[in-house]
Amino acid sequence: EINVEMGRKEYLHRNISRILTHFKEVPPKHKVKIGTVVSKINIDDLVNIGNFLFRNPALYKPDVWRVYQFEALKEGSKNKEMYQISDEQFEEACNRIKKEFPDVTIDPRSNQDHSNAYFFITPDLMIQTVDTSHKSFADLTTVTQEDLTRLIKERTETARRAEQNRKWIISTIAK
């Protein structure tokens, strides 16, 4: 019910269950990361979500649980008051689940952590960065490879932060 209340599709929980059940039967050859956006709607349900993901013997246990602080961008800005949590609330929630699931790799991403830390490709093939809004900087249908390389190199801070956001892959390999 919480997924639907947060604007997610009804089948999301069922699909995650099916995928993790399949991975339990046929272990993947890659790392598995599950992401949860933390908002006012689900902040008190995180332990239940963790129990479902990590204490259900029928399911493959994901290698990383990445939790994101709700960020009021695009569609989210319409319901900011309904979903937004403070930095302190997010930090407390992350500490609570880390204490409850000490053997799980939990990788929190506050709004500050993931602002300007990704390159996105939209369905219409625009490349964007995100800080307080989505900002397109190249159209993949028209940009040359040389210009694209230059445009990405100009965004050194975004590239550095994007690399940092992939450290979970290395940390799970080391375990």
Side-chain angles (χ1 to χ4, degrees), residues 2-175:
I2 289 176
N3 270 330
V4 174
E5 191 175 346
M6 288 184 62
R8 305 289 194 258
K9 303 296 182 192
E10 292 180 23
Y11 54 80
L12 181 65
H13 184 270
R14 182 177 62 243
N15 285 356
I16 291 170
S17 295
R18 285 180 180 164
I19 291 166
L20 294 177
T21 299
H22 174 75
F23 285 166
K24 179 78 174 190
E25 297 165 4
V26 182
K29 295 178 180 163
H30 53 76
K31 299 299 175 190
V32 175
K33 175 187 72 150
I34 294 285
T36 302
V37 176
V38 182
S39 74
K40 283 182 186 174
I41 304 290
N42 70 352
I43 195 166
D44 293 326
D45 206 42
L46 292 177
V47 171
N48 289 334
I49 294 169
N51 283 331
F52 166 74
L53 292 171
F54 299 102
R55 293 184 176 148
N56 185 336
L59 301 180
Y60 176 87
K61 291 172 183 42
D63 299 290
V64 175
W65 187 14
R66 168 92 41 109
V67 289
Y68 300 91
Q69 182 180 7
F70 171 80
E71 189 166 23
L73 294 172
K74 286 189 149 186
E75 290 297 312
S77 64
K78 295 176 186 175
N79 300 305
K80 183 177 178 177
E81 291 76 29
M82 189 164 85
Y83 295 117
Q84 190 163 330
I85 59 173
S86 70
D87 294 343
E88 294 77 22
Q89 288 172 304
F90 180 70
E91 187 175 335
E92 288 170 11
C94 292
N95 289 338
R96 187 170 61 246
I97 60 174
K98 284 179 176 182
K99 183 177 178 183
E100 182 69 27
F101 303 97
D103 296 332
V104 172
T105 300
I106 298 171
D107 191 13
R109 286 289 177 248
S110 69
N111 290 338
Q112 185 63 29
D113 290 334
H114 68 265
S115 179
N116 195 29
Y118 297 93
F119 293 104
F120 293 96
I121 299 176
T122 66
D124 60 350
L125 298 179
M126 298 299 292
I127 300 182
Q128 301 180 331
T129 58
V130 178
D131 46 32
T132 58
S133 66
H134 289 255
K135 296 177 184 161
S136 296
F137 67 89
D139 180 342
L140 287 177
T141 64
T142 60
V143 70
T144 66
Q145 184 174 354
E146 295 80 25
D147 284 343
L148 179 59
T149 300
R150 178 184 51 77
L151 289 166
I152 290 174
K153 284 183 178 180
E154 288 172 356
R155 288 157 176 81
T156 56
E157 180 62 14
T158 303
R160 185 190 66 75
R161 294 186 69 158
E163 184 178 339
Q164 286 293 113
N165 279 327
R166 297 294 169 247
K167 294 243 184 224
W168 67 268
I169 296 170
I170 304 302
S171 69
T172 56
I173 293 170
K175 284 187 171 184

